[in-house]
Amino acid sequence: MKLSTRWLAAFALLAIAQPTIAAAPSNFSTDNPRFARLYTLERQASDLLNSDDYALSMSQKTRDAWGRLHDAAMQAKIGGQSHPLAGVALINLSSMDQIDGKNPDALARSNDGLRLLAPFADAYPIAWMQGLSIKGYVQIALGDVAGGADTLAGASRYMDTYIARTPADRIDKDTHMLRSNIAFTHAQALTRLGRNAEAVEAQKASMEARIAAAGPNSADTIGSYYTYAQMLQRADRDGEAEKYARLAVDIATDHVDRKHPSYARALEALGLLLSRTGRRGESLDYLQRAIAIKRETVGTESLYFQFGLQNLGSVLLPLERYADAEPLFLEAERGFRRIEGENSPQSARALAFAAAAALAEGRRAEAIGRLDTALARVRSESDKDRDIGQRVFPYLIPALIEEGRGVEAGRAAGAFTTETAQLDNAPALPLAQAAMLTAWTTPDRRDLGEAARRLTGVLRDGAAMNDNGELTEDQRAALDTVLAVAAQTQDTALALDAMAVLAGSRIAQANRLVAQRLVEDPALATRVRGLQDRVKALEVADRRLLKALAVDEEVATARADRADVAAEVEAERSAIARDYPRWVEAHGGERPDLDALRAGLRREEALLAVMPAFDGVYLLAVSADGARIERARMDRAAMVALVHRLRGSLTPAGFDQAAAHDLYREIFTPGILGTLGKAKILRIVPTGAFASLPFAMLPERPIAAVDKNVPWLVRRFAIRVQPGFAIHPAQGGQMAMRNQTLLGVGAPQAFTDSQGAVASRGASGTEVRALSDLPALPGSLAELRAVAKRFGAGHATLLVGAEANEATLRTRDLSSYGVILFATHGLVDGEMAGVNEAALLLSPPGTDDAGDDGLLTASEVAAMRIAADWVILSACNTAAGEKAQAAAYSGLAQAFRYAGAGSLLVSHWPVRDDASAFVTLETVKGAGRGLPRAVALQKAMLKLIASRHPDAAQPYIWAPFMLMGR
């Protein structure tokens, strides 16, 4: 019998196992002339099933043909038993049932077929393995994951025996393909059971069989490479995983037609790889293109298409694009159910993702309903599938607690702990989460603080392992639970620890290129790799300790082992921090201590952190007299929407006054204000959308109209923004103008379409035209001259007009200037065609300036060596980050900091040049009189508000300026 290639293609998406096999009668033969009629009936049915006409192959006519073979074979006896072709017929009917989504019928027929075929399995090995494959897959689809895995393990063992005893020239492509499919489905089942190490070996066997069937460069083989990479990643073998993911992409690019479905899989592989390495923005293009190809080639009724939707949604989640992600998950959920049935495990996963998006958008009750449904769907007939619980419980339990449903939360926490402890290779994160959530739902909560700190440590170590600094959605949700516990218990030290992980993630993202440049030092690279190896060992030790605590066995030994590894990690971290402090800071790796932070604040200073985690926004106020942590009354989605509403409403003529005051009330609560006390200087540590919030313009009271007397927050506090919690020694307010030197750069020559030199350097004509369309800044030259005059003759150098170019800056020793001022246009990533990172506009290059394009980019700034203790970016948008969700201290500002600058004066949005000149000069003058720089900026803003400059009282004119310190 020839195995249906159609069935093989359908089965490529599945997973499987096996029973004991009886021997056939010794005189049995598969070509006995006595049964010629049966062989004819088998050939007729097989021809119909293998027809190129899909409708015919799956028609009632084909079913009738297999039915005739079954009935005839049942009557033909061999040693008192029915002819095995009766079992072959039932197995083929079961494959048709499975393709039609009739899983209960498929299971019943496969069981009956295997029973009839068992004594003759060695005579019909392909049919036997096909029957086991179908049975195993359907068992899993119906909820018996463990049983399906056992069936598939048996199928794999039998296949290995069959391959070993059969001459190589008698093993055809279809047999290798069946072997690959069996191993693939087995690997998927093992993964769902948490048996990741075994899953890796099963998928490796699938990959090797696929290579034997189709060759190493086949489109069919690409998926095996990438699936193997996925399995390796789940087993914490990241280096090998990246190797095979890249192999899939390279082979697809070189050997696969662009319209072939496997090319879409290759694009998807690359997209997911980019996402895992922190380049989620880049990955979106690949994933969207992959979906478009799948829609055209395999259609929307294929599992591949549904997985594509889910993959794209899972990349959008950490980008906080929840409204875009949620419909993708819901569409995938409906598709999985149509294909796999109402209890489809994949539909449950898609629904759980959609629930996470709903939670992040503030729809808690709806999210709980989805999470409950996802659990019930895969557990309707079995409680053996523990994989879905790892996705559902970390979101469901905190949501139930927030809704006041403590009893249900406690039951869910108990199930989470039990299931996680049973996983053979449970990661440290779910183990730590289960322990903390169980402690949170226990009435006495005795172990809650310790469990929360342990979870924070696991999250910090996980973030440290990620070179790009990005947190996964699961990690951010876990940090949200820690902060919720800290707010409930007023554990401000715990809150600071968790917030440092959030802030450090943003810093590391902003400084990815800087960190890469630093690690070009071979000595540092070796140290970093050593630290990463130790952190991996610490994660293993954490996992052992957490599992020991969960099962209450060998806890003392596991705790001692963990302490030894932790001591090694801390020693190496401290040594690197001592020898390479800039690398630690660039990675956001500084670990704050609450007592040290308070001690570092000057008497008139206080600190406020405003951080969105997952579904909540958390506020931490620290002063010399105390500290307080609160969760904002509004959820994260509502508050972020307020920030966007305010920013979007700002014009020279007005702004959304209600949104501004609502934000003030949500952030500056009575408890927070009480802790800040009488501080005059407020250090603010914002992340996410709040990094783009101009805090200075929040009104303390509702306002009906803007005038010179509005009680802006800037009247109460002089504000400085900083990326993290480190308090560096005060630099002193006195700038000592007589001894400091100024470098002023700006008032560049205009670009024109005739600037052929730019185009010759690789800039497109579109970019040249866009640069030439930028408006002139007539006040920039006056601003530079006014500030230079303040420094005095002999202490100021100006590079203006044609001299304000990249070549001049590259050849000048910038370390001799105490203050550097740029007065020009600032461009953010994506603002215009061809500009792919934040940049300052300089003069067009001359024809001999190789590598010069007239744009000083953030990566070029990061490579500079400067020693200015103040850099003033009097330019449009210099506070902005690379993406909408990037921190305001990223982009250019962060690049200057890591080039060696001290404090920076930057702007949140395009600045009117006369206002920029006024604020810059007044701030410099104030600092020259000995004022702290935050106070100098505060007074400059207030003086502008009170001035006669047009519309000066409007926040659009005076509020974009921001002082950023270390």
Side-chain angles (χ1 to χ4, degrees):
M1 164 196 148
K2 178 175 173 57
L3 188 65
S4 166
T5 54
R6 175 172 290 104
W7 186 89
L8 281 168
F11 186 69
L13 301 171
L14 322 180
I16 323 195
Q18 113 172 354
T20 306
I21 304 171
S26 58
N27 62 344
F28 177 76
S29 171
T30 59
D31 57 1
N32 189 330
R34 175 186 164 196
F35 303 112
R37 178 171 175 268
L38 295 183
Y39 305 148
T40 299
L41 291 173
E42 179 198 13
R43 186 166 54 255
Q44 292 172 348
S46 295
D47 287 345
L48 287 169
L49 186 63
N50 290 316
S51 169
D52 291 334
D53 184 343
Y54 181 80
L56 176 61
S57 71
M58 297 298 295
S59 69
Q60 186 61 44
K61 183 178 181 179
T62 303
R63 286 183 175 273
D64 290 343
W66 287 117
R68 285 192 294 273
L69 174 62
H70 170 264
D71 294 344
M74 290 295 292
Q75 300 301 317
K77 302 296 183 180
I78 298 174
Q81 301 179 76
S82 296
H83 193 283
L85 283 176
V88 171
L90 288 177
I91 286 169
N92 279 278
L93 284 168
S94 74
S95 76
M96 295 179 71
D97 289 335
Q98 179 270 314
I99 292 171
D100 281 341
K102 301 174 181 177
N103 287 330
D105 293 342
L107 182 60
R109 282 200 170 101
S110 63
N111 275 327
D112 289 344
L114 288 167
R115 176 177 53 78
L116 291 170
L117 193 57
F120 306 91
D122 287 346
Y124 289 92
I126 302 301
W128 173 253
M129 289 183 286
Q130 180 183 2
L132 290 173
S133 300
I134 297 168
K135 176 181 177 180
Y137 171 75
V138 173
Q139 283 177 294
I140 294 166
L142 293 175
D144 184 8
V145 181
D150 288 343
T151 303
L152 292 165
S156 291
R157 287 194 297 271
Y158 186 85
M159 177 63 84
D160 290 343
T161 301
Y162 172 74
I163 294 290
R165 72 174 186 243
T166 305
D169 60 356
R170 293 181 55 191
I171 302 174
D172 61 14
K173 172 183 175 179
D174 287 345
T175 302
H176 284 300
M177 192 67 76
L178 176 60
R179 184 187 195 191
S180 177
N181 293 335
I182 290 171
F184 168 81
T185 316
H186 188 206
Q188 297 292 315
L190 291 168
T191 294
R192 290 179 57 187
L193 293 170
R195 292 156 60 182
N196 293 321
E198 296 172 69
V200 166
E201 295 308 310
Q203 181 55 37
K204 182 180 182 183
S206 174
M207 178 179 68
E208 291 171 346
R210 190 62 58 100
I211 293 171
N217 299 329
S218 164
D220 285 334
T221 307
I222 292 170
S224 287
Y225 293 137
Y226 183 63
T227 305
Y228 185 49
Q230 287 180 312
M231 297 297 178
L232 287 165
Q233 185 186 24
R234 287 171 181 159
D236 300 325
R237 294 163 63 177
D238 294 338
E240 295 169 84
E242 182 174 344
K243 169 187 171 183
Y244 280 94
R246 290 190 179 279
L247 180 63
V249 175
D250 292 342
I251 290 177
T253 301
D254 293 340
H255 299 282
V256 177
D257 183 86
R258 295 299 187 264
K259 290 189 176 181
H260 193 287
S262 288
Y263 186 69
R265 294 169 68 188
L267 291 172
E268 197 167 49
L270 178 56
L272 293 171
L273 176 63
L274 289 170
S275 175
R276 285 201 306 273
T277 56
R279 291 166 285 174
R280 292 193 174 101
E282 294 176 61
S283 74
L284 294 178
D285 288 339
Y286 293 100
L287 295 173
Q288 288 165 342
R289 177 60 180 151
I291 288 175
I293 294 174
K294 288 180 180 183
R295 190 186 300 275
E296 179 183 350
T297 55
V298 300
T300 60
E301 295 303 309
S302 96
L303 287 177
Y304 285 132
F305 183 76
Q306 315 310 326
F307 280 118
L309 295 173
Q310 186 163 291
N311 286 334
L312 177 57
S314 66
V315 173
L316 290 168
L317 278 184
L319 293 172
E320 299 181 31
R321 292 176 56 178
Y322 303 109
D324 294 327
E326 187 175 1
L328 294 171
F329 292 132
L330 292 176
E331 183 181 352
E333 186 268 341
R334 292 189 294 269
F336 284 130
R337 276 194 291 124
R338 284 196 306 272
I339 297 167
E340 296 188 322
E342 286 300 313
N343 292 328
S344 159
Q346 295 300 340
S347 77
R349 279 170 183 72
L351 193 59
F353 277 117
L359 266 179
E361 289 287 276
R363 306 195 314 274
R364 190 177 297 127
E366 185 177 353
I368 290 173
R370 289 175 179 173
L371 293 167
D372 282 337
T373 300
L375 277 178
R377 191 169 286 172
V378 296
R379 297 178 175 196
S380 58
E381 298 184 25
S382 171
D383 62 354
K384 302 299 185 184
D385 187 347
R386 294 186 290 271
D387 182 63
I388 190 65
Q390 307 304 300
R391 167 134 303 277
V392 168
F393 286 130
Y395 295 92
L396 176 61
I397 298 166
L400 289 171
I401 291 172
E402 289 292 331
E403 289 288 286
R405 296 162 63 177
V407 174
E408 296 171 72
R411 285 198 297 266
F416 186 26
T417 298
T418 300
E419 293 183 9
T420 306
Q422 291 172 348
L423 300 179
D424 71 328
N425 189 33
L429 176 57
L431 284 165
Q433 283 180 293
M436 198 202 81
L437 292 171
T438 298
W440 199 3
T441 54
T442 301
D444 62 14
R445 299 186 178 181
R446 182 175 54 232
D447 299 325
L448 180 56
E450 179 183 354
R453 283 177 173 76
R454 190 178 298 122
L455 174 56
T456 306
V458 168
L459 290 163
R460 184 191 306 109
D461 293 334
M465 287 302 300
N466 190 349
D467 285 337
N468 57 70
E470 286 197 307
L471 296 172
T472 66
E473 204 64 11
D474 292 342
Q475 288 171 321
R476 290 204 303 120
L479 284 166
D480 200 305
T481 62
V482 171
L483 287 165
V485 167
Q488 283 188 7
T489 60
Q490 276 305 298
D491 190 335
T492 50
L494 173 63
L496 178 62
D497 212 12
M499 283 185 166
V501 178
L502 281 169
S505 167
R506 295 290 187 177
I507 293 170
Q509 290 173 55
N511 294 323
R512 186 175 72 244
L513 294 177
V514 176
Q516 289 174 357
R517 179 169 62 83
L518 291 172
V519 176
E520 290 173 3
D521 178 344
L524 175 58
T526 300
R527 297 278 293 275
V528 169
R529 286 194 295 270
L531 175 61
Q532 290 177 334
D533 289 342
R534 286 183 171 86
V535 172
K536 284 184 179 179
L538 180 59
E539 185 186 20
V540 173
D542 271 326
R543 188 186 306 153
R544 289 174 182 159
L545 173 58
L546 290 161
K547 193 159 187 176
L549 290 167
V551 299
D552 196 22
E553 294 178 1
E554 300 183 355
V555 174
T557 300
R559 182 174 281 123
D561 291 344
R562 196 265 178 202
D564 290 342
V565 179
E568 294 177 3
V569 169
E570 286 307 307
E572 185 59 22
R573 275 181 176 153
S574 298
I576 292 177
R578 180 190 65 238
D579 298 338
Y580 301 94
R582 291 182 66 215
W583 183 84
V584 175
E585 190 176 353
H587 264 271
E590 292 182 303
R591 296 178 57 183
D593 172 82
L594 184 59
D595 291 337
L597 190 155
R598 289 174 61 188
L601 293 171
R602 294 192 292 185
R603 184 176 55 83
E604 70 276 19
E605 287 184 327
L607 180 142
L608 173 65
V610 184
M611 296 199 180
F614 177 66
D615 62 337
V617 175
Y618 295 88
L619 314 166
L620 175 65
V622 181
S623 68
D625 299 323
R628 180 171 181 81
I629 172 68
E630 292 185 10
R631 178 173 175 148
R633 290 165 296 184
M634 278 188 183
D635 58 47
R636 184 207 61 82
M639 288 191 69
V640 168
L642 272 181
V643 174
H644 293 327
R645 208 174 96 197
L646 176 60
R647 286 296 307 262
S649 71
L650 278 160
T651 70
F655 65 102
D656 190 326
Q657 298 165 2
H661 182 61
D662 286 346
L663 283 165
Y664 173 83
R665 285 189 307 155
E666 288 296 319
I667 297 171
F668 293 91
T669 66
I672 293 297
L673 285 173
T675 304
L676 298 178
K678 297 181 179 180
K680 295 180 180 179
I681 299 175
L682 182 60
R683 295 174 177 259
I684 300 180
V685 183
T687 62
F690 295 92
S692 66
L693 177 63
F695 285 87
M697 65 165 289
L698 299 183
E700 295 185 280
R701 294 191 302 273
I703 56 175
V706 174
D707 58 31
K708 297 180 180 181
N709 300 310
V710 173
W712 307 113
L713 187 68
V714 72
R715 295 190 187 278
R716 177 164 185 167
F717 297 111
I719 298 169
R720 63 182 296 162
V721 173
Q722 56 188 59
F725 292 94
I727 302 293
H728 293 274
Q731 295 166 317
Q734 183 66 35
M735 291 183 64
M737 293 289 188
R738 290 188 302 265
N739 300 319
Q740 289 218 33
T741 55
L742 166 75
L743 175 64
V745 183
Q749 285 185 330
F751 274 68
T752 68
D753 288 340
S754 62
Q755 293 292 343
V758 178
S760 71
R761 301 289 174 263
S764 67
T766 301
E767 179 183 340
V768 174
R769 287 191 295 273
L771 294 174
S772 67
D773 287 340
L774 289 171
L777 297 172
S780 60
L781 181 58
E783 174 186 353
L784 287 164
R785 287 173 174 168
V787 175
K789 183 178 179 180
R790 178 66 186 176
F791 275 76
H795 292 279
T797 300
L798 297 184
L799 300 176
V800 298
E803 286 191 301
N805 63 67
E806 286 186 82
T808 301
L809 283 175
R810 280 198 303 269
T811 57
R812 186 172 291 268
D813 179 10
L814 302 179
S815 64
S816 61
Y817 299 100
V819 179
I820 299 178
L821 167 62
F822 285 87
T824 183
H825 281 288
L827 305 175
V828 292
D829 175 17
E831 184 176 350
M832 63 176 59
V835 180
N836 297 317
E837 64 175 316
L840 291 170
L841 180 69
L842 298 179
S843 290
T847 55
D848 296 328
D849 296 330
D852 189 353
D853 60 3
L855 293 175
L856 182 63
T857 64
S859 58
E860 290 170 335
V861 170
M864 296 165 65
R865 291 290 183 268
I866 62 178
D869 85 326
W870 199 1
V871 169
I872 302 168
L873 303 184
S874 179
C876 306
N877 295 333
T878 48
E882 294 179 5
K883 295 291 183 289
Q885 295 298 337
Y889 48 79
S890 65
L892 281 168
Q894 198 72 328
F896 273 105
R897 288 188 63 247
Y898 289 102
S903 296
L904 291 104
L905 181 62
V906 293
S907 59
H908 274 298
W909 57 77
V911 182
R912 203 170 71 188
D913 58 327
D914 63 329
S916 177
F918 183 94
V919 171
T920 298
L921 183 56
E922 290 297 324
T923 303
V924 169
K925 287 165 61 178
R929 293 194 301 269
L931 293 175
R933 291 171 187 170
V935 175
L937 175 59
Q938 176 193 39
K939 290 188 177 297
M941 286 179 163
L942 294 176
K943 188 171 182 179
L944 178 58
I945 292 171
S947 74
R948 295 183 179 181
H949 284 258
D951 300 318
Q954 288 291 345
Y956 188 86
I957 306 302
W958 61 263
F961 304 99
M962 181 184 79
L963 179 69
M964 197 192 97
R966 287 187 178 275

